[in-house]
Amino acid sequence: MKILVVGGGGREHAIIKKIKENKEVKEIFALPGNGGMVNDATCVNIKATDIDGIVNFAVENTIDYAIVAPDDPLVMGCVDALEEKNIPCFGPRACAAIIEGSKAFSKKLMKKYGIPTAAFEVFSKLEDALEYLKTAPIPTVIKADGLALGKGVIICQTREEAVTAVTEMMADGKFGDSGKTVVIEEFLEGLEVSVLSFTDGKCVVPMISSMDHKRAGDGDTGLNTGGMGTVAPNPYYTKEIAERCMQEIFLPTVGAMVEEGRTFKGCLYFGLMLTEKGPKVIEYNCRFGDPETQVVLPLLETDLLTVMRAVTEEKLSSVPVKFADKSACCVIMASKGYPLAYEKGYEINIPDEIADKVYVAGAAEKDGKVVTAGGRVLGAVEVADTLREAVDGAYALVDKISFENAYYRHDIGERALKA
Ligand code: AMP
Ligand code: GLY
């Protein structure tokens, strides 16, 4: 089989490495991929948002199955466009990807179907938002409606900060069209859990739970990032909580999307907050999380391509999906300065014997060398019997990898170890 993977980060590298385990797979193309994954896939310089380019490539190269991983192409209708050319895909159509593409949509969906989430209001007029903020409970959370590269959520500790945030989004166009509508919501307190799931619209199969570390600095300080490391499973996500989430969140969400005529097929990501009043949805993503995928997929024992094709063919209930009874830890090595300005172009040294445990995100090929080309450069992932061993193992990998200006957190997994 010839497989096409749309995207080019660490998540895509994890998907590609897992897909390669299937003996039927003869060739994998990554569009655009990156310079650090050339041993695992043929990288083709077509952007993940170039839908016409992707479709033409897939047709010309008689692709048998396509996996669309990032949010933008999914929201833009990449799956719809590929399916029109009869190319089977993993990922939701645009009408279902809206669950991530519009926070106003997802909040209204949760309200309509009684799915627990933070209380909220939606505004498309600045005056109305400012009026509401005069009496809104503080702290408050301001969210741009559309996709904003993970930066469209601002937690405001004061009324003044909230006024600045909505003004920047709605009047100054900080996030372009994505910020023209805003969601203002209740600030929730609790522990966060990420649960990725496979769903074909009929059944939903949660994957092993995980914990992201979003802040740039040790001890959860500093700016929000795309994620500086992950562990799986998340020890705070007990069997009882999982059962409750299934009944109160996962099944109702999948059912609601069917009811709305927006059947979701693919990976549905539940960003959850375990509050005193029970688990609540912070956000949905219409795709695999990054860097959650880098710890979840290495623990998957079932063949990934088989599961994905079952999702596409709406036969997911016929495939038993199994995860190893082990732990995984991913430590992200970033370029110093990320998530703000950083330098790039430095050679990355990864010893061959650990290459299969490294998922490369921001790298390019230059004069036969692999050099840094992004904020998050790579993830080092160890799987072990216990979380302690997985964490120590991941940091041992980090010690063997080098590039100039490397930056990483030293406490990935510490909070999970305290559970
Ligand atoms: P999101 O982009 O929706 O994942 O939000 C980014 C981060 O902001 C989340 O991982 C949470 O840590 C935080 N966050 C989002 N919504 C809330 C909320 N209602 N209350 C508290 N924290 C939130
Ligand atoms: N790690 C969170 C995300 O992928 O959005």
Short mmCIF file of all heavy atoms in Angstrom, two decimals, residues 103 107 117-119 140-143 149-155 185-190 192 212 214-215 224-225 269 271-273 281-285, ligand 1:
data_model
loop_
_atom_site.label_atom_id
_atom_site.label_comp_id
_atom_site.label_asym_id
_atom_site.label_seq_id
_atom_site.Cartn_x
_atom_site.Cartn_y
_atom_site.Cartn_z
N LYS A 103 -14.80 27.46 18.29
CA LYS A 103 -15.09 27.23 19.70
C LYS A 103 -16.53 27.61 20.02
O LYS A 103 -17.16 27.01 20.89
CB LYS A 103 -14.11 28.01 20.58
CG LYS A 103 -12.68 27.47 20.48
CD LYS A 103 -11.82 27.90 21.64
CE LYS A 103 -10.34 27.70 21.42
NZ LYS A 103 -9.86 26.32 21.52
N LYS A 107 -18.92 25.01 21.96
CA LYS A 107 -19.56 25.39 23.23
C LYS A 107 -21.08 25.28 23.12
O LYS A 107 -21.75 24.77 24.03
CB LYS A 107 -19.16 26.81 23.63
CG LYS A 107 -17.70 27.02 23.96
CD LYS A 107 -17.17 26.23 25.15
CE LYS A 107 -17.71 26.70 26.47
NZ LYS A 107 -16.97 26.11 27.62
N THR A 117 -19.15 21.46 30.66
CA THR A 117 -18.06 22.34 30.22
C THR A 117 -18.16 23.64 31.03
O THR A 117 -19.13 23.84 31.76
CB THR A 117 -18.15 22.61 28.71
OG1 THR A 117 -17.00 23.32 28.28
CG2 THR A 117 -19.39 23.42 28.34
N ALA A 118 -17.18 24.52 30.90
CA ALA A 118 -17.21 25.79 31.61
C ALA A 118 -18.39 26.63 31.10
O ALA A 118 -18.68 26.63 29.90
CB ALA A 118 -15.90 26.54 31.36
N ALA A 119 -19.05 27.37 32.02
CA ALA A 119 -20.12 28.28 31.62
C ALA A 119 -19.52 29.34 30.68
O ALA A 119 -18.35 29.68 30.80
CB ALA A 119 -20.72 28.96 32.85
N THR A 140 -11.19 35.22 34.32
CA THR A 140 -12.04 34.79 33.21
C THR A 140 -11.14 34.35 32.06
O THR A 140 -9.94 34.65 32.04
CB THR A 140 -12.99 35.93 32.79
OG1 THR A 140 -13.93 35.42 31.86
CG2 THR A 140 -12.24 37.10 32.16
N VAL A 141 -11.72 33.59 31.14
CA VAL A 141 -10.92 33.04 30.04
C VAL A 141 -11.50 33.53 28.72
O VAL A 141 -12.69 33.39 28.46
CB VAL A 141 -10.94 31.49 30.09
CG1 VAL A 141 -10.04 30.91 29.00
CG2 VAL A 141 -10.50 30.99 31.46
N ILE A 142 -10.63 34.15 27.91
CA ILE A 142 -11.06 34.70 26.62
C ILE A 142 -10.50 33.79 25.53
O ILE A 142 -9.30 33.50 25.51
CB ILE A 142 -10.49 36.13 26.40
CG1 ILE A 142 -10.65 36.99 27.64
CG2 ILE A 142 -11.08 36.75 25.14
CD1 ILE A 142 -11.99 37.57 27.87
N LYS A 143 -11.38 33.34 24.63
CA LYS A 143 -10.94 32.44 23.57
C LYS A 143 -11.36 32.96 22.20
O LYS A 143 -12.53 33.28 21.99
CB LYS A 143 -11.56 31.04 23.76
CG LYS A 143 -11.16 30.39 25.08
CD LYS A 143 -11.65 28.96 25.19
CE LYS A 143 -11.01 28.29 26.40
NZ LYS A 143 -11.36 26.87 26.53
N LEU A 149 -3.30 28.75 16.13
CA LEU A 149 -2.00 28.12 16.42
C LEU A 149 -1.81 27.86 17.92
O LEU A 149 -0.72 28.00 18.45
CB LEU A 149 -0.84 29.02 15.93
CG LEU A 149 -0.78 29.29 14.44
CD1 LEU A 149 0.20 30.43 14.14
CD2 LEU A 149 -0.38 28.04 13.67
N GLY A 150 -2.90 27.53 18.60
CA GLY A 150 -2.82 27.23 20.03
C GLY A 150 -2.61 28.46 20.90
O GLY A 150 -2.37 28.36 22.09
N LYS A 151 -2.69 29.67 20.29
CA LYS A 151 -2.40 30.88 21.07
C LYS A 151 -3.66 31.68 21.38
O LYS A 151 -3.59 32.74 22.00
CB LYS A 151 -1.41 31.76 20.31
CG LYS A 151 -0.07 31.09 20.14
CD LYS A 151 0.96 32.04 19.54
CE LYS A 151 2.30 31.34 19.40
NZ LYS A 151 2.75 31.20 18.04
N GLY A 152 -4.79 31.21 20.94
CA GLY A 152 -6.01 32.00 21.03
C GLY A 152 -6.76 31.91 22.36
O GLY A 152 -7.90 32.31 22.44
N VAL A 153 -6.10 31.38 23.40
CA VAL A 153 -6.74 31.28 24.72
C VAL A 153 -5.98 32.16 25.70
O VAL A 153 -4.77 32.00 25.87
CB VAL A 153 -6.74 29.82 25.22
CG1 VAL A 153 -7.27 29.75 26.65
CG2 VAL A 153 -7.57 28.95 24.29
N ILE A 154 -6.68 33.12 26.32
CA ILE A 154 -6.00 34.01 27.26
C ILE A 154 -6.71 33.96 28.61
O ILE A 154 -7.91 34.23 28.71
CB ILE A 154 -5.95 35.45 26.70
CG1 ILE A 154 -5.20 35.39 25.36
CG2 ILE A 154 -5.23 36.38 27.68
CD1 ILE A 154 -5.11 36.68 24.64
N ILE A 155 -5.95 33.56 29.62
CA ILE A 155 -6.51 33.50 30.97
C ILE A 155 -6.24 34.85 31.64
O ILE A 155 -5.09 35.27 31.74
CB ILE A 155 -5.88 32.33 31.75
CG1 ILE A 155 -6.31 31.02 31.05
CG2 ILE A 155 -6.32 32.34 33.22
CD1 ILE A 155 -5.65 29.80 31.54
N GLU A 185 -15.35 32.60 28.92
CA GLU A 185 -15.84 31.51 29.76
C GLU A 185 -15.30 31.50 31.17
O GLU A 185 -14.29 32.14 31.49
CB GLU A 185 -15.66 30.15 29.06
CG GLU A 185 -14.25 29.69 28.94
CD GLU A 185 -14.17 28.29 28.34
OE1 GLU A 185 -14.98 27.93 27.47
OE2 GLU A 185 -13.26 27.55 28.74
N GLU A 186 -16.00 30.75 31.96
CA GLU A 186 -15.68 30.55 33.37
C GLU A 186 -14.29 29.92 33.50
O GLU A 186 -13.94 29.01 32.74
CB GLU A 186 -16.75 29.59 33.92
CG GLU A 186 -16.55 29.04 35.28
CD GLU A 186 -17.43 27.79 35.53
OE1 GLU A 186 -18.06 27.28 34.58
OE2 GLU A 186 -17.46 27.33 36.67
N PHE A 187 -13.53 30.38 34.48
CA PHE A 187 -12.21 29.81 34.75
C PHE A 187 -12.39 28.54 35.59
O PHE A 187 -13.03 28.56 36.63
CB PHE A 187 -11.36 30.83 35.52
CG PHE A 187 -10.03 30.32 35.95
CD1 PHE A 187 -9.00 30.16 35.03
CD2 PHE A 187 -9.79 30.00 37.28
CE1 PHE A 187 -7.76 29.69 35.42
CE2 PHE A 187 -8.54 29.53 37.68
CZ PHE A 187 -7.53 29.37 36.75
N LEU A 188 -11.87 27.44 35.09
CA LEU A 188 -12.01 26.16 35.80
C LEU A 188 -10.72 25.82 36.51
O LEU A 188 -9.63 26.09 36.00
CB LEU A 188 -12.33 25.03 34.81
CG LEU A 188 -13.65 25.10 34.06
CD1 LEU A 188 -13.75 23.92 33.10
CD2 LEU A 188 -14.83 25.09 35.02
N GLU A 189 -10.85 25.18 37.66
CA GLU A 189 -9.66 24.73 38.37
C GLU A 189 -9.66 23.22 38.48
O GLU A 189 -10.71 22.62 38.70
CB GLU A 189 -9.59 25.37 39.75
CG GLU A 189 -9.04 26.78 39.67
CD GLU A 189 -9.06 27.47 41.01
OE1 GLU A 189 -10.13 27.93 41.42
OE2 GLU A 189 -7.98 27.54 41.63
N GLY A 190 -8.49 22.63 38.36
CA GLY A 190 -8.39 21.19 38.48
C GLY A 190 -7.20 20.68 37.70
O GLY A 190 -6.41 21.47 37.17
N GLU A 192 -5.56 18.68 34.49
CA GLU A 192 -5.92 18.47 33.09
C GLU A 192 -5.53 17.08 32.63
O GLU A 192 -4.49 16.55 33.01
CB GLU A 192 -5.23 19.52 32.22
CG GLU A 192 -5.88 20.88 32.34
CD GLU A 192 -5.27 21.90 31.39
OE1 GLU A 192 -5.18 21.61 30.19
OE2 GLU A 192 -4.88 22.97 31.87
N ASP A 212 -0.24 16.58 29.27
CA ASP A 212 0.63 17.51 28.55
C ASP A 212 1.29 18.44 29.57
O ASP A 212 0.84 18.54 30.71
CB ASP A 212 -0.24 18.31 27.56
CG ASP A 212 0.58 19.02 26.49
OD1 ASP A 212 1.82 18.93 26.51
OD2 ASP A 212 -0.03 19.67 25.63
N LYS A 214 2.14 22.26 29.25
CA LYS A 214 2.02 23.33 28.25
C LYS A 214 2.93 24.52 28.48
O LYS A 214 3.27 25.23 27.54
CB LYS A 214 0.57 23.83 28.21
CG LYS A 214 -0.35 22.81 27.59
CD LYS A 214 -1.56 23.44 26.93
CE LYS A 214 -2.13 22.44 25.96
NZ LYS A 214 -3.47 22.22 25.86
N ARG A 215 3.30 24.77 29.74
CA ARG A 215 4.08 25.98 30.00
C ARG A 215 5.55 25.74 29.65
O ARG A 215 6.04 24.63 29.73
CB ARG A 215 3.94 26.39 31.47
CG ARG A 215 2.50 26.54 31.91
CD ARG A 215 1.83 27.77 31.32
NE ARG A 215 2.26 28.98 31.98
CZ ARG A 215 1.72 29.47 33.09
NH1 ARG A 215 0.72 28.86 33.68
NH2 ARG A 215 2.19 30.58 33.61
N ASN A 224 2.72 29.93 27.62
CA ASN A 224 2.10 28.73 27.08
C ASN A 224 2.79 28.34 25.78
O ASN A 224 3.16 29.20 25.00
CB ASN A 224 0.62 29.00 26.79
CG ASN A 224 -0.27 28.21 27.71
OD1 ASN A 224 0.03 27.06 28.05
ND2 ASN A 224 -1.36 28.81 28.11
N THR A 225 2.96 27.05 25.57
CA THR A 225 3.59 26.57 24.33
C THR A 225 2.66 25.55 23.70
O THR A 225 1.60 25.25 24.25
CB THR A 225 4.92 25.85 24.64
OG1 THR A 225 4.60 24.60 25.30
CG2 THR A 225 5.82 26.67 25.53
N TYR A 269 -10.21 14.36 20.04
CA TYR A 269 -9.37 14.63 21.22
C TYR A 269 -10.20 15.36 22.25
O TYR A 269 -10.80 16.39 21.94
CB TYR A 269 -8.20 15.47 20.74
CG TYR A 269 -7.31 16.13 21.76
CD1 TYR A 269 -5.93 15.91 21.74
CD2 TYR A 269 -7.79 17.03 22.70
CE1 TYR A 269 -5.08 16.55 22.64
CE2 TYR A 269 -6.95 17.65 23.61
CZ TYR A 269 -5.61 17.41 23.56
OH TYR A 269 -4.77 18.05 24.45
N GLY A 271 -9.92 17.43 25.59
CA GLY A 271 -9.10 18.11 26.59
C GLY A 271 -9.99 18.30 27.81
O GLY A 271 -10.99 19.02 27.75
N LEU A 272 -9.67 17.63 28.91
CA LEU A 272 -10.57 17.59 30.07
C LEU A 272 -9.96 18.27 31.28
O LEU A 272 -8.75 18.26 31.46
CB LEU A 272 -10.89 16.14 30.43
CG LEU A 272 -11.42 15.25 29.32
CD1 LEU A 272 -11.47 13.80 29.80
CD2 LEU A 272 -12.80 15.72 28.88
N MET A 273 -10.83 18.83 32.11
CA MET A 273 -10.39 19.35 33.42
C MET A 273 -11.14 18.54 34.47
O MET A 273 -12.38 18.46 34.43
CB MET A 273 -10.76 20.83 33.53
CG MET A 273 -10.25 21.50 34.78
SD MET A 273 -8.51 21.95 34.65
CE MET A 273 -8.60 23.59 33.98
N VAL A 281 -15.25 19.42 29.83
CA VAL A 281 -14.49 19.59 28.59
C VAL A 281 -13.90 21.00 28.55
O VAL A 281 -14.62 21.99 28.70
CB VAL A 281 -15.40 19.39 27.36
CG1 VAL A 281 -14.62 19.66 26.07
CG2 VAL A 281 -16.00 17.99 27.35
N ILE A 282 -12.59 21.09 28.36
CA ILE A 282 -11.95 22.39 28.12
C ILE A 282 -11.96 22.67 26.62
O ILE A 282 -12.20 23.77 26.17
CB ILE A 282 -10.49 22.41 28.61
CG1 ILE A 282 -10.44 22.17 30.10
CG2 ILE A 282 -9.84 23.72 28.26
CD1 ILE A 282 -9.03 22.26 30.64
N GLU A 283 -11.63 21.66 25.86
CA GLU A 283 -11.61 21.84 24.41
C GLU A 283 -11.70 20.49 23.72
O GLU A 283 -11.33 19.45 24.27
CB GLU A 283 -10.33 22.54 23.96
CG GLU A 283 -9.08 21.74 24.29
CD GLU A 283 -7.87 22.08 23.44
OE1 GLU A 283 -8.00 22.82 22.45
OE2 GLU A 283 -6.79 21.58 23.76
N TYR A 284 -12.21 20.54 22.47
CA TYR A 284 -12.14 19.39 21.59
C TYR A 284 -11.09 19.71 20.53
O TYR A 284 -10.99 20.84 20.08
CB TYR A 284 -13.46 19.21 20.83
CG TYR A 284 -14.66 18.83 21.64
CD1 TYR A 284 -15.74 19.70 21.73
CD2 TYR A 284 -14.76 17.59 22.26
CE1 TYR A 284 -16.89 19.35 22.42
CE2 TYR A 284 -15.90 17.24 22.96
CZ TYR A 284 -16.97 18.11 23.04
OH TYR A 284 -18.11 17.76 23.72
N ASN A 285 -10.34 18.70 20.11
CA ASN A 285 -9.53 18.84 18.91
C ASN A 285 -10.01 17.77 17.94
O ASN A 285 -10.43 16.69 18.35
CB ASN A 285 -8.04 18.64 19.21
CG ASN A 285 -7.46 19.82 19.99
OD1 ASN A 285 -7.95 20.94 19.88
ND2 ASN A 285 -6.44 19.57 20.77
P1 AMP B 1 -6.92 25.32 24.72
O1 AMP B 1 -6.17 25.98 23.58
O2 AMP B 1 -8.40 25.45 24.65
O3 AMP B 1 -6.38 23.94 24.99
O4 AMP B 1 -6.49 26.11 26.03
C1 AMP B 1 -5.15 26.18 26.39
C2 AMP B 1 -5.02 25.99 27.87
O5 AMP B 1 -5.71 27.03 28.55
C3 AMP B 1 -5.67 24.71 28.41
O6 AMP B 1 -4.84 23.60 28.29
C4 AMP B 1 -5.92 25.10 29.85
O7 AMP B 1 -4.72 24.95 30.59
C5 AMP B 1 -6.25 26.55 29.76
N1 AMP B 1 -7.70 26.75 29.77
C6 AMP B 1 -8.54 26.77 28.72
N2 AMP B 1 -9.81 26.98 29.11
C7 AMP B 1 -9.78 27.10 30.45
C8 AMP B 1 -10.78 27.33 31.46
N3 AMP B 1 -12.05 27.51 31.16
N4 AMP B 1 -10.38 27.39 32.74
C9 AMP B 1 -9.06 27.24 33.07
N5 AMP B 1 -8.08 27.03 32.17
C10 AMP B 1 -8.43 26.96 30.88
#
